[in-house]
């Protein structure tokens, strides 16, 4: 059974940091790219970042470039999203997804999401 479980979300003040984790099982983690997406209430879902299979290439949305860092640990079947200098507009539910390539539009597997709220 394929599972992707996000964790690490929460409430943080503007300028703060959070580290999201995406723990996976049930598929060959190293054979998939991992994408982080987010969706805020009333807004469309948007891609935040993506990391390819080995050797890892990374991609970022302009809105998070320089503030967020995506990484993966293939030995632990886990991906991460380090989020620094958080802004109120980063408030959203964050999802991780597995897909064949960061250049693909469609994701194969999804997690349930973790809430990130940036507020003073």
């Amino acid at each position: 059974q394929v599972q992707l479980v996000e964790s690490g979300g929460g409430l943080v003040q503007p300028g703060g940091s959070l580290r999201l984790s995406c723990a996976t099982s049930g598929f060959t983690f190293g054979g998939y790219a991992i994408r982080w997406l987010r969706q805020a209430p009333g807004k469309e879902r948007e891609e935040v970042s993506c990391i390819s299979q080995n050797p890892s290439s990374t991609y970022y949305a302009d809105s998070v470039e320089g503030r967020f860092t995506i990484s993966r640990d293939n030995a632990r079947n886990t991906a991460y999203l380090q989020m620094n200098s958080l802004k109120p507009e980063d408030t959203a539910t964050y999802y991780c997804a597995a897909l064949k390539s960061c250049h693909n539009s469609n994701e194969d597997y999804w997690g349930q999401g973790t809430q990130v709220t940036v507020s003073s």
Side-chain angles (χ1 to χ4, degrees):
Q1 181 181 0
V2 172
Q3 285 192 312
L4 291 84
V5 180
E6 302 94 336
S7 62
L11 173 64
V12 63
Q13 291 187 342
S17 298
L18 285 173
R19 188 196 196 201
L20 305 184
S21 297
C22 173
T24 75
S25 61
F27 65 101
T28 305
F29 181 77
Y32 284 78
I34 298 295
R35 176 177 286 162
W36 285 95
L37 307 96
R38 67 186 181 186
Q39 188 164 21
K43 295 188 176 181
E44 291 188 357
R45 188 173 59 208
E46 63 171 336
E47 176 178 350
V48 175
S49 184
C50 191
I51 185 166
S52 67
Q53 302 89 326
N54 285 326
S56 296
S57 298
T58 58
Y59 306 90
Y60 297 95
D62 289 344
S63 58
V64 306
E65 180 82 53
R67 299 188 297 123
F68 290 11
T69 303
I70 192 171
S71 62
R72 64 189 295 157
D73 184 341
N74 288 347
R76 297 179 182 271
N77 295 335
T78 301
Y80 305 95
L81 186 68
Q82 177 67 42
M83 306 187 297
N84 298 330
S85 302
L86 283 161
K87 304 175 181 181
E89 51 263 44
D90 294 318
T91 296
T93 300
Y94 284 70
Y95 302 89
C96 65
L99 63 167
K100 298 294 195 306
S101 168
C102 285
H103 302 294
N104 284 12
S105 298
N106 297 325
E107 295 80 14
D108 294 297
Y109 308 119
W110 284 86
Q112 295 299 308
T114 186
Q115 178 67 37
V116 172
T117 302
V118 184
S119 175
S120 55

